[in-house]
């Protein structure tokens, strides 16, 4: 006897796969964490997502969205695909805020980077490798599997930051 399980949580986030092939499972966990970041920004205005609400840190929700757009570009385009692409927002970390950039602008860029990463991953094996070109370990070879695990870790860590920021902005917790 099988029971149907929902594919999404009540808040709309996809439920990560609990069984099955490794690549779809890793993709589903990354999608879950991507959706969590977006949910953390939902319902906030541009002033709120610019608020550094966990002093003395200058970290903001808008900065996290921008940073994770840079992370998407770095690991999938630069490392996995070997492309020489510039930073999305003009500097490598993505944290610097442009006074004219709205949350919707940043989310649009972030979504495009996710879509481009999905295109790059399509048809690749988890054993395919890319090369880290910058940072503390330039030249290190990494598998696509490693990139997925790192991306899940990166989002999970930053979603923890987003939890604190969101709670300080308007008291919303639990996502």
């Amino acid at each position: 006897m099988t029971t149907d399980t929902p594919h999404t949580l009540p808040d709309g986030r996809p439920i990560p796969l609990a069984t099955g092939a490794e690549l779809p499972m890793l993709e589903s966990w990354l999608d879950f964490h991507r959706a969590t970041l977006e949910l953390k920004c939902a319902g906030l205005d541009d002033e709120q997502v610019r608020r550094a609400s966990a002093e003395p840190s200058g970290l903001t929700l808008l900065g996290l969205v921008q940073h994770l757009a840079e992370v998407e570009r770095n690991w999938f385009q630069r490392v996995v695909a070997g492309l020489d692409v510039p930073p999305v927002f003009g500097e490598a970390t993505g944290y610097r805020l442009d006074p004219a950039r709205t949350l919707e602008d940043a989310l649009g860029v972030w979504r495009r980077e996710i879509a481009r990463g999905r295109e790059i991953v399509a048809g690749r094996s988890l054993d395919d490798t890319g090369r880290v070109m910058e940072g503390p370990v330039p030249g290190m070879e990494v598998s696509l599997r490693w990139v997925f695990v790192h991306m899940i870790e990166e989002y999970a860590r930053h979603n923890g930051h987003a939890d604190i920021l969101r709670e300080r902005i308007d008291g919303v917790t639990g996502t």
Side-chain angles (χ1 to χ4, degrees), residues 6-44:
H7 296 285
T8 59
L9 294 169
D11 59 23
R13 289 178 296 162
I15 296 173
L17 297 174
T19 60
E22 187 179 12
L23 179 58
M25 186 177 292
L26 291 171
E27 288 172 323
S28 75
W29 272 103
L30 184 52
D31 285 342
F32 169 80
H33 284 293
R34 287 167 172 157
T36 298
L37 177 68
E38 193 159 8
L39 189 59
K40 282 296 176 186
C41 296
L44 297 176

Side-chain angles (χ1 to χ4, degrees), residues 46 49-50 62 65-66 69 88-89 98-113:
D46 288 327
V49 296
R50 291 173 172 282
L62 181 57
V65 171
Q66 292 177 174
V88 181
F89 296 107
D98 177 334
R101 187 173 303 113
T102 66
L103 174 60
E104 281 309 308
D105 294 339
L107 285 171
V109 170
W110 174 71
R111 289 179 190 121
R112 284 190 297 277
E113 293 302 316

Side-chain angles (χ1 to χ4, degrees), residues 40-41 43-66 95-99 101-103 161-172:
K40 282 296 176 186
C41 296
L44 297 176
D45 62 32
D46 288 327
E47 183 276 323
Q48 289 171 308
V49 296
R50 291 173 172 282
R51 192 177 303 158
S53 57
E55 294 179 8
S57 173
L59 190 64
T60 67
L61 283 171
L62 181 57
L64 282 175
V65 171
Q66 292 177 174
Y95 288 120
R96 187 177 326 128
L97 302 183
D98 177 334
R101 187 173 303 113
T102 66
L103 174 60
H161 299 135
D163 285 340
I164 294 165
L165 292 166
R166 181 64 191 250
E167 184 175 7
R168 294 284 304 227
I169 290 168
D170 67 358
V172 170

Side-chain angles (χ1 to χ4, degrees), residues 72-85 116-117 119-121 124 128-133 142 144 147:
E72 293 275 354
R73 175 171 279 201
N74 181 62
W75 289 103
F76 291 114
Q77 292 185 51
R78 290 188 187 106
V79 174
V80 174
L83 300 174
D84 183 15
V85 292
R116 181 67 180 117
E119 290 171 4
I120 288 167
V121 167
R124 291 184 191 255
D128 287 354
T129 60
R131 191 162 305 280
V132 176
M133 300 312 293
V142 295
L144 181 58
V147 171

